[in-house]
Amino acid sequence: METFRFIQPSPILAPFIKHYWILEIDGINTVSERVIPTGFMQMIFHRGDRMNTLSDNKMQPQSFICGQSTGFTDLVSTGKVNMIVVVFHPFGTKAFFPMPMNEFYRMDVSFSDFNDNSLRELEDRIYHEKDNNKAIALIESTLISRLRVFDNHNWKRITEVIKAINHKHQSSIASLSEIACLSYKQFNRIFTEYVGTNPKEFTRIVRFQRALYILQNTPDINITELAFDCGYYDQPHLIKEFKAFSGYTPPEFISVCTPYSDYFS
């Protein structure tokens, strides 16, 4: 038996958190999943058995921060799955942690690696709390207590840049730095610090997610039209990016799973 649901954050956390999701699978059958870049950092809690990463045959931590990634990862269950995941907005994780977000880049950083008693206490309480709503309340309480005061000017800059990326099929880094009112070099540094990956890589991820969104809503679109609509140079460029992010060409991707955009959902 499998259950999956989304939960919306409280109003005070909504500017920083897109949603929570909860997945429960009874563990009778082994479950495998290919995880692709979404453009979001996440906070993940395993209340059941942990997932195994096939690429390096390594178990995920019990609770961890998942940084931005530009490649795919294959996961396989090792028993009962019971996960709670906090999905942050692209700039949202920075509100709760003092370090640059690129320190998490392509990493799963366990709570045990933080010198932070509140995170370790949260991990223990979530592991033992069986009620999903109470578990979400515990997470929210901890995150609210961690809300930080930081550079409001840079926060506003990155917010406006993300809006521009979301609404345009192609945005040059130079034009984005102009929106941020920063030099090219300053913009790259601040964006990477807040979002967890550099603006060039992030715009590639969003473009890929836009392609998934179009495939999700217009499954009969041809590949050439899809490439044009998403701002790729041509069809080979689209195919190359799809393979880099998912390991599949677009037709292969559609044959193994239903296209779904986490970013534009």
Side-chain angles (χ1 to χ4, degrees):
M1 182 178 176
E2 176 178 332
T3 60
F4 178 84
R5 68 182 176 114
F6 290 107
I7 297 174
Q8 295 305 309
S10 60
I12 192 172
L13 292 176
F16 315 104
I17 294 173
K18 181 177 174 67
H19 54 239
Y20 309 96
W21 58 259
I22 298 173
L23 174 64
E24 296 177 88
I25 305 174
D26 57 23
I28 295 174
N29 298 312
T30 300
V31 178
S32 60
E33 180 73 20
R34 175 158 293 186
V35 179
I36 59 178
T38 62
F40 305 126
M41 291 181 62
Q42 300 176 326
M43 179 183 285
I44 297 175
F45 299 87
H46 286 296
R47 295 193 295 172
D49 296 299
R50 295 178 292 163
M51 304 287 280
N52 187 46
T53 306
L54 291 182
S55 58
D56 54 9
N57 193 27
K58 184 178 179 181
M59 296 290 288
Q60 288 187 326
Q62 179 181 317
S63 304
F64 60 99
I65 302 296
C66 179
Q68 293 277 10
S69 176
T70 56
F72 60 89
T73 302
D74 289 316
L75 300 176
V76 63
S77 63
T78 60
K80 181 180 179 181
V81 177
N82 189 334
M83 299 174 64
I84 298 180
V85 177
V86 184
V87 180
F88 296 100
H89 287 301
F91 45 78
T93 321
K94 181 65 175 172
F96 308 101
F97 296 92
M99 67 286 289
M101 293 300 98
N102 53 298
E103 290 188 11
F104 298 99
Y105 180 63
R106 300 180 70 178
M107 295 177 63
D108 294 338
V109 181
S110 173
F111 281 12
S112 62
D113 292 334
F114 289 88
N115 183 25
D116 193 314
N117 290 331
S118 68
L119 288 179
R120 289 194 287 269
E121 180 182 349
L122 177 62
E123 177 182 55
D124 183 67
R125 296 181 71 183
I126 294 298
Y127 185 77
H128 292 97
E129 178 55 69
K130 303 306 179 185
D131 184 279
N132 289 331
N133 292 326
K134 289 181 180 178
I136 295 296
L138 287 170
I139 294 169
E140 290 224 319
S141 177
T142 298
L143 290 178
I144 289 170
S145 72
R146 296 180 65 88
L147 272 172
R148 301 171 50 251
V149 177
F150 49 88
D151 191 325
N152 196 44
H153 292 296
N154 285 337
W155 173 265
K156 289 180 178 178
R157 287 178 172 128
I158 300 304
T159 301
E160 291 305 311
V161 166
I162 296 295
K163 288 180 182 178
I165 293 171
N166 292 349
H167 289 93
K168 293 182 180 178
H169 289 184
Q170 272 188 306
S171 299
S172 69
I173 308 306
S175 67
L176 294 175
S177 64
E178 289 178 2
I179 292 172
C181 299
L182 293 167
S183 70
Y184 188 93
K185 185 176 180 179
Q186 286 178 315
F187 170 65
N188 270 272
R189 177 180 59 80
I190 292 171
F191 185 97
T192 303
E193 178 183 340
Y194 274 71
V195 178
T197 189
N198 66 53
K200 182 178 180 180
E201 289 182 334
F202 183 77
T203 55
R204 287 178 60 218
I205 294 170
V206 173
R207 183 169 52 193
F208 168 66
Q209 285 286 327
R210 181 175 282 112
L212 291 178
Y213 181 75
I214 293 174
L215 284 172
Q216 174 185 337
N217 291 280
T218 316
D220 295 330
I221 190 170
N222 67 63
I223 301 303
T224 301
E225 186 179 357
L226 179 65
F228 176 79
D229 287 351
C230 295
Y232 290 99
Y233 301 129
D234 50 25
Q235 183 176 322
H237 184 209
L238 166 66
I239 293 171
K240 180 181 178 181
E241 291 286 272
F242 246 79
K243 292 196 75 171
F245 287 132
S246 71
Y248 300 115
T249 65
E252 290 170 343
F253 188 95
I254 293 169
S255 71
V256 297
C257 62
T258 302
Y260 178 80
S261 171
D262 292 280
Y263 190 89
F264 288 105
S265 63

